[in-house]
Amino acid sequence: MVHGLVNKVGIEKDRLVNNGLIAMYCKFQDVANARRVFNTMVDRGVVSWNTLIDGLFQSGALAEAFEMFQEMLRTLRPDIVTVTIALRASCQMKDTRRGRSIHGYLVRNGHECDAIVDNMLIHLYSNCGNLKACRRVFDQLANQGPASWNTLLIANFRRGCFGEGIRLFGLMRRSLIEPDSVTVVTLISACTQLADRAQGRLLHGYAIKTGVVRNNFVGNALIDMYSKCGGLEDALREFEEMDKRDVVSWNSAISGCFVGGNFSQGLEIFRRMNAEGVPPDTTTMLTVLPACSFLAAKRLGKSVHSSILRTTTELDLPVGNALIEMYSKCGSLGHSVRVFDSMRTKDVVTWTALVSAYGMHGLGKQALKAFMDMEVAGIPPDHVTFVAVIYACSHSGLVEEGFSLFNRMEKDYKTTPKIEHYACAVDLLSRSGKLPEAESFILGMPLEPDVGIWGALLSSCRNNNETKIAERAAKRIMGLRSDNTGYYVLVSNLYASAGKWNLVGDIRGSIKSRGLRKDPGYSWIEVGRRMRVFGAGHSVEGSREAYQFLEKLTVLMEEEGYVPDRKLVLHDVEEDEKRQALCGHSERLAIAFGLLNTKTGTSLQVMKNLRVCGDCHTAIKYISKITQRELLVRDANRFHLFKDGACSCGDRW
DNA sequence: CTAGGCAAAC
């Protein structure tokens, strides 16, 4: 309308008016009209060129923009604004070549000194990791301000040169330049990376003394530093003391809780954030959704999903990917597929999430189909995709299909198998009972087998009563002296079932003497909008009733033919574990609790942090038959759907 | 009438 008015009034030849029109169209990303105005102009000035070139950059027409820039150089002398625009674009594209040539142009043409341009130059060389060039530019500056020092420090820290960074900070203090809030933030984040809480605390004191604590960047960096250096309490104190929390403060506090495993605390802060009306951003979603996945908190995940739908028009790619994973880990494969179908752009992560979703739910054929569809869609699989698809085959007994994929990784996909892929292959063979094949495969593999490899073999031996191979695997595991106690438990269970109690004792002693602790097993279930946790160290009201109910149930199960496998129950590594054995493994307690506290016929969903043991797997099959309930159990690897006495995993648990 | 630096969360 205004553009039309310009013509009507007869000022369409005015340079300033036309510059204004170009700027306006650029702001609306309407490059075509901006160009049209530019082309009709008879007396273009530097501003006209600058405005259009920047508009092209901002709308992503990079090649066109640089072309225009070259044309401008042939037409008239650029000013410092032109230089800034071109330099920023080169920085963003990490195009050092172009940046260098602009740098050279600046030197040759003797442009006025400009602190911001100087800083962009340091940043340019920092981007390509050229610390020497950074230092050279810095040393030649007419005046080194705080920002130049900061950029130089950051360049060093980003390259991991902490010693040099700290040395430079020493030089900065001896110069007359006072550190500012950016300096403090930079140093705090270096402490975070170095996990140096003591140094971070000193900087906290310094920030208070100089008053920069009130800067949100500083406060947020402190939250991050404390929570990642094992000081969640300090982190949350800082969070509570801030007077104007922004979305990053909230996100930092929430993720700070999650990294240490404090899920309920983190979710409580997320609830407060919503209650206070702070709009969550993409980062909030990418922090909360994985926590929902871990906890299988479907209700919360769904509410996050609906708030995403309410606030955004198009689903962000990483958020969509996180939603697929969330739904599959919450047991809602259907929702995963629906989110997948709704996504307009899909990347390798999207497809891998789908493959892994099918795999977790025991649908190997569907996982393979997704893998092939991915190829048709022109998205090449990566390392993670192969883990997902081979695991999917492994859990569905598709040995040949899985193995042929493993063999084709190198040949057809130019992806060199890593140790985790060899572990998948071992799992594939041994899970279907091909134990001698699995063992010779390990002995012939080109990489040094690690505990994961031998562990995959050993855990399958136990299911197949294959003691000879099991003992060899056990010896290897003990020889590798891993810090992961899960493997020692496997070995200990093997010796216990063979009655070799002295060896069991040895393992227990070695775990203790090395200061390791066994991961306690626990299970959880959501009943009546509340999560209940069962297992050592968790006492829940109602667990006594659950235990009593379980006893009655066991009688019925035995009438149906259930024979408890005492071997598997009674010889665990720690005392609390024995107690747990006596009152039933945590997943059984959680199921019993769910049965008691829900209406007849409703299906239950139970989560466990470790793998379900063989005896529980058998027991739950009986429970599903006797009570005529569908029991969906998520263990560390996958879902088991127990229904009328059978499990969806086909006993490849 | 045009442009711009260094810093925190996934």
Side-chain angles (χ1 to χ4, degrees):
Chain A
M1 219 175 84
V2 177
H3 192 176
L5 197 62
V6 163
N7 293 320
K8 218 166 173 180
V9 176
I11 49 172
E12 72 279 1
K13 294 240 158 44
D14 188 285
R15 191 175 62 192
L16 269 59
V17 168
N18 280 314
N19 288 347
L21 284 171
I22 298 173
M24 177 197 73
Y25 281 123
C26 286
K27 283 272 180 316
F28 294 120
Q29 307 261 313
D30 184 352
V31 187
N33 271 313
R35 230 179 215 296
R36 197 166 300 150
V37 174
F38 181 86
N39 288 337
T40 59
M41 285 176 77
V42 281
D43 61 337
R44 303 178 191 114
V46 186
V47 176
S48 328
W49 287 91
N50 288 349
T51 311
L52 184 61
I53 291 173
D54 195 42
L56 290 168
F57 274 130
Q58 307 276 359
S59 58
L62 304 174
E64 246 182 295
F66 276 123
E67 221 168 88
M68 201 84 205
F69 175 62
Q70 297 298 345
E71 197 185 329
M72 177 184 182
L73 292 181
R74 291 191 292 271
T75 318
L76 77 174
R77 188 185 146 89
D79 64 2
I80 192 76
V81 176
T82 323
V83 172
T84 321
I85 291 166
L87 209 47
R88 193 183 51 128
S90 327
C91 264
Q92 276 174 3
M93 298 164 66
K94 308 228 161 160
D95 186 342
T96 338
R97 246 232 200 103
R98 195 157 251 136
R100 247 184 247 275
S101 80
I102 297 167
H103 188 185
Y105 170 86
L106 270 170
V107 175
R108 283 194 305 277
N109 291 273
H111 271 286
E112 70 213 81
C113 292
D114 186 296
I116 293 178
V117 168
D118 289 344
N119 219 24
M120 289 173 103
L121 286 171
I122 305 177
H123 193 68
L124 176 82
Y125 293 108
S126 163
N127 260 350
C128 59
N130 191 342
L131 289 181
K132 282 217 176 92
C134 285
R135 190 60 202 271
R136 210 159 39 233
V137 175
F138 176 85
D139 286 337
Q140 285 165 4
L141 293 184
N143 39 14
Q144 297 149 345
S148 348
W149 280 102
N150 293 337
T151 310
L152 190 61
L153 291 177
I154 290 155
N156 279 277
F157 289 143
R158 288 228 174 115
R159 282 238 92 191
C161 303
F162 292 99
E164 177 63 7
I166 290 160
R167 207 181 64 78
L168 284 166
F169 176 60
L171 287 178
M172 179 182 183
R173 297 200 79 169
R174 264 175 272 144
S175 76
L176 292 172
I177 305 300
E178 277 297 310
D180 63 5
S181 65
V182 180
T183 323
V184 174
V185 169
T186 303
L187 293 169
I188 292 171
S189 104
C191 291
T192 311
Q193 281 171 268
L194 294 167
D196 189 341
R197 186 163 63 173
Q199 197 59 48
R201 201 181 285 285
L202 289 177
L203 284 161
H204 190 178
Y206 179 79
I208 293 169
K209 209 165 64 189
T210 54
V212 292
V213 253
R214 278 188 298 279
N215 178 305
N216 262 23
F217 272 92
V218 176
N220 296 341
L222 284 170
I223 296 174
D224 187 46
M225 184 275 293
Y226 280 127
S227 65
K228 287 190 180 144
C229 298
L232 186 58
E233 271 183 32
D234 291 324
L236 295 180
R237 188 176 313 123
E238 187 55 31
F239 173 74
E240 297 300 342
E241 279 173 4
M242 290 177 83
D243 43 24
K244 43 170 179 32
R245 289 182 275 268
D246 59 22
V247 65
V248 179
S249 323
W250 289 96
N251 293 345
S252 306
I254 295 168
S255 93
C257 293
F258 290 164
V259 290
N262 297 285
F263 290 102
S264 54
Q265 222 169 346
L267 293 178
E268 182 52 37
I269 295 175
F270 177 61
R271 252 172 239 123
R272 257 173 71 196
M273 181 182 180
N274 289 323
E276 293 185 22
V278 182
D281 65 2
T282 305
T283 302
T284 319
M285 308 306 181
L286 292 177
T287 308
V288 175
L289 285 174
C292 296
S293 306
F294 178 83
L295 296 169
K298 183 155 73 183
R299 230 162 15 84
L300 181 64
K302 271 190 169 169
S303 81
V304 172
H305 189 185
S306 68
S307 88
I308 292 169
L309 293 177
R310 272 198 309 276
T311 52
T312 53
T313 43
E314 176 127 15
L315 205 52
D316 197 55
L317 184 57
V319 174
N321 295 344
L323 280 170
I324 296 175
E325 179 169 344
M326 183 277 290
Y327 278 123
S328 74
K329 291 201 170 163
C330 288
S332 302
L333 181 61
H335 282 100
S336 280
V337 176
R338 229 171 294 163
V339 172
F340 177 88
D341 287 338
S342 78
M343 289 170 68
R344 276 221 270 132
T345 46
K346 300 176 172 86
D347 65 0
V348 61
V349 180
T350 320
W351 284 97
T352 304
L354 185 71
V355 170
S356 133
Y358 283 128
M360 279 194 78
H361 287 80
L363 300 169
K365 286 258 162 65
Q366 309 254 48
L368 279 172
K369 172 153 194 317
F371 183 84
M372 289 188 290
D373 289 345
M374 175 177 183
E375 256 194 312
V376 173
I379 310 276
D382 69 5
H383 283 100
V384 186
T385 319
F386 278 106
V387 171
V389 73
I390 301 173
Y391 243 172
C393 291
S394 181
H395 283 281
S396 302
L398 302 168
V399 186
E400 271 167 40
E401 291 86 341
F403 228 86
S404 109
L405 279 170
F406 174 80
N407 288 328
R408 287 173 57 204
M409 277 182 73
E410 188 96 67
K411 195 159 43 93
D412 296 349
Y413 299 96
K414 310 275 171 273
T415 318
T416 309
K418 297 191 195 187
I419 192 89
E420 59 260 40
H421 302 104
Y422 285 92
C424 286
V426 171
D427 192 73
L428 193 60
L429 290 170
S430 55
R431 207 178 274 272
S432 356
K434 297 177 187 289
L435 294 161
E437 290 89 336
E439 190 185 26
S440 53
F441 175 82
I442 295 175
L443 296 173
M445 62 187 258
L447 298 174
E448 191 60 40
D450 63 4
V451 267
I453 301 276
W454 291 111
L457 181 65
L458 178 54
S459 51
S460 290
C461 288
R462 220 181 51 177
N463 296 351
N464 291 280
N465 289 322
E466 177 56 80
T467 49
K468 287 245 164 59
I469 294 176
E471 292 208 5
R472 288 197 288 270
K475 284 214 177 77
R476 300 278 191 160
I477 289 174
M478 297 313 292
L480 287 165
R481 301 191 64 78
S482 157
D483 280 349
N484 188 328
T485 46
Y487 297 111
Y488 295 128
V489 173
L490 271 179
V491 176
S492 161
N493 286 346
L494 168 77
Y495 290 148
S497 59
K500 300 181 175 174
W501 297 103
N502 52 333
L503 288 173
V504 173
D506 287 352
I507 293 171
R508 189 184 302 160
S510 114
I511 290 178
K512 275 232 173 76
S513 69
R514 293 179 57 197
L516 302 176
R517 287 204 58 180
K518 186 175 125 27
D519 271 355
Y522 56 92
S523 302
W524 64 102
I525 184 172
E526 189 178 311
V527 173
R529 306 189 136 235
R530 262 188 71 189
M531 287 282 191
R532 317 283 180 137
V533 189
F534 296 84
H538 297 92
S539 67
V540 171
E541 344 90 75
S543 56
R544 175 189 290 269
E545 289 79 2
Y547 174 52
Q548 285 166 354
F549 182 61
L550 204 54
E551 277 191 329
K552 281 187 219 155
L553 211 51
T554 308
V555 176
L556 294 174
M557 282 153 64
E558 282 171 351
E559 279 170 16
E560 288 280 325
Y562 167 67
V563 183
D565 184 351
R566 302 259 168 234
K567 275 194 308 201
L568 283 166
V569 190
L570 284 174
H571 50 62
D572 259 311
V573 185
E574 282 177 4
E575 278 305 312
D576 54 356
E577 195 67 17
K578 272 192 191 157
R579 212 169 41 242
Q580 210 177 305
L582 290 172
C583 67
H585 274 162
S586 60
E587 54 269 50
R588 273 191 249 193
L589 270 181
I591 288 172
F593 181 88
L595 291 170
L596 275 175
N597 292 285
T598 53
K599 276 191 218 132
T600 313
T602 39
S603 48
L604 298 181
Q605 186 172 329
V606 171
M607 277 66 61
K608 176 163 190 183
N609 65 331
L610 306 174
R611 253 175 83 174
V612 176
C613 84
D615 189 45
C616 284
H617 195 264
T618 310
I620 299 168
K621 285 199 275 189
Y622 281 100
I623 296 175
S624 73
K625 189 172 183 201
I626 292 167
T627 61
Q628 279 301 299
R629 299 253 207 156
E630 280 188 20
L631 307 170
L632 187 59
V633 178
R634 191 188 88 183
D635 71 4
N637 296 323
R638 59 167 292 162
F639 277 99
H640 301 259
L641 179 59
F642 296 91
K643 199 174 167 181
D644 203 24
C647 177
S648 65
C649 77
D651 293 339
R652 280 176 296 268
W653 56 275

